[in-house]
Amino acid sequence: MTTRRWHGGELRRDRLTGEWSVLAPGRAARPHAPDGDCPFCPGPGEDTPPESWRLPSADGRSWRVRTVPNRYALSDRHEVVIESPHHDWDLAAGTDAEVADVLYGWQQRHIALRETAAQVVIFRNHGPAAGTSLPHPHSQIAGLPVLSPGIRHRLDRYREHHGRRGRTFAADLLAEELRAKTRIVHAGEHAVVFAPFAPAASYELRVLPRRIRADFATVPADELGGVARVLRIALRALRDELADPAYNLIVDTAPSGWEQAPFLAWSLRILPRADVAAGLELATGIPVVTTTPEQAAAALRSKIADPVPAT
Ligand SMILES: [Zn+2]
């Protein structure tokens, strides 16, 4: 049996499948829909562990984005990124600059947390069906002591493609999607959002930056701003088309030690929680998706007021 000590619990590996599970009984005590004061809102009701980082406001007196240790941590290094001082703010409703501030916060904490982690995961759960326990806009970042099988598999596939073609998998995929056009939702100056050919969920979206880099943390400010704009456009279209659906947003980036790998590419994934996993999916791991990516992309394009042609 493979067991590793884990912050507040255990990391166990299934002998049959080789897959890891985190056993975190303490997380059952997470707050859901707090009564009264929100712990993330600035003011007398604010109640968080001591701050680990902040992006100050222009006058320096308050903050635009701040990070704190997660009280219900999944690992030793698990932080909450409080994305705005405003309780009702959301990525889909924010300005390009506000969304870029959040991405900058992810970069800064990624750099800090990867010192002691095999892999840093950055994710955002939106809506109770996606696992949100507090409505105040926030995302999470955690350093993990092991590489997940999913990441290992992706590393192998990217390396194999690069060895065979001499180009990154992401560059070839982006060129193919831009040629086909049917799954493109929006093509911006710095990034493109599209519905993947074989999605894991209805309305799954991927944001691929045009400039391929392995490491999300090294994206310079102008490119990060361009990615933020495309992400904001995609989330707003999704909100308008599906009436603010629950989703998980994931940053896929190089694990520790692979930041310079020439075959890797960072990207963003948005996975709406519209389909319910049933027996076939649980038995085979093959998702059943009810909306084709071509339908999803066409519907989302129609929600974008000022579409930029896919070139
Ligand atoms: Zn709040």
Side-chain angles (χ1 to χ4, degrees):
M1 315 245 184
T2 310
T3 303
R4 304 214 10 194
R5 280 194 307 115
W6 184 265
H7 183 86
E10 264 177 62
L11 189 61
R12 292 188 187 176
R13 188 172 212 172
D14 186 281
R15 293 168 77 181
L16 202 56
T17 64
E19 302 282 351
W20 292 98
S21 290
V22 176
L23 301 187
R27 280 181 66 83
R30 281 184 306 160
H32 284 272
D35 328 315
D37 290 333
C38 167
F40 293 167
C41 273
E46 189 172 78
D47 180 21
T48 65
E51 182 174 289
S52 50
W53 179 86
R54 73 158 54 188
L55 185 61
S57 59
D59 64 7
R61 289 214 297 259
S62 67
W63 52 273
R64 290 184 275 166
V65 177
R66 68 195 283 259
T67 62
V68 298
N70 190 323
R71 238 181 210 148
Y72 304 91
L74 281 169
S75 75
D76 298 354
R77 311 292 306 271
H78 184 179
E79 297 189 351
V80 175
V81 180
I82 305 172
E83 298 168 344
S84 166
H86 304 293
H87 192 81
D88 297 323
W89 186 85
D90 188 44
L91 282 183
T95 64
D96 291 347
E98 286 169 340
V99 176
D101 284 349
V102 172
L103 268 55
Y104 179 69
W106 292 349
Q107 282 187 317
Q108 295 307 302
R109 298 317 293 160
H110 185 194
I111 291 166
L113 266 57
R114 72 174 166 203
E115 296 295 318
T116 55
Q119 175 185 350
V120 173
V121 291
I122 307 166
F123 58 96
R124 181 177 209 260
N125 304 331
H126 178 79
T132 313
S133 51
L134 278 170
H136 195 110
H138 68 282
S139 36
Q140 302 181 56
I141 178 160
L144 304 186
V146 295
L147 272 191
S148 59
I151 284 266
R152 281 186 189 283
H153 183 63
R154 200 147 39 89
L155 286 175
D156 289 344
R157 282 180 58 82
Y158 278 37
R159 183 165 32 202
E160 193 267 334
H161 183 99
H162 192 262
R164 194 155 39 86
R165 300 280 178 84
R167 294 184 304 271
T168 61
F169 174 71
D172 281 354
L173 178 65
L174 189 58
E176 245 172 62
E177 290 297 344
L178 285 171
R179 230 176 359 250
K181 287 191 169 69
T182 51
R183 287 175 295 275
I184 299 288
V185 174
H186 180 79
E189 185 190 349
H190 291 286
V192 175
V193 57
F194 66 97
F197 179 73
S202 287
Y203 287 86
E204 177 182 350
L205 299 177
R206 304 226 178 118
V207 178
L208 271 183
R210 289 186 187 266
R211 169 80 196 268
I212 307 289
R213 299 170 193 276
D215 184 9
F216 166 68
T218 61
V219 177
D222 59 330
E223 275 177 52
L224 199 68
V227 172
R229 177 173 171 74
V230 167
L231 174 63
R232 197 264 304 153
I233 288 170
L235 290 175
R236 198 169 291 185
L238 205 57
R239 179 196 68 183
D240 294 348
E241 173 63 17
L242 298 179
D244 196 19
Y247 67 80
N248 300 102
L249 169 64
I250 298 158
V251 181
D252 289 310
T253 183
S256 304
W258 297 87
E259 292 89 351
Q260 306 296 327
F263 50 85
L264 274 181
W266 82 272
S267 64
L268 301 171
R269 239 185 314 159
I270 303 162
L271 280 155
R273 293 293 191 112
D275 303 312
V276 178
L280 181 83
E281 184 161 356
L282 297 174
T284 61
I286 299 174
V288 178
V289 180
T290 53
T291 310
T292 69
E294 293 79 14
Q295 289 170 336
L300 294 173
R301 276 197 304 267
S302 76
K303 297 290 175 187
I304 298 172
D306 181 24
V308 175
T311 52

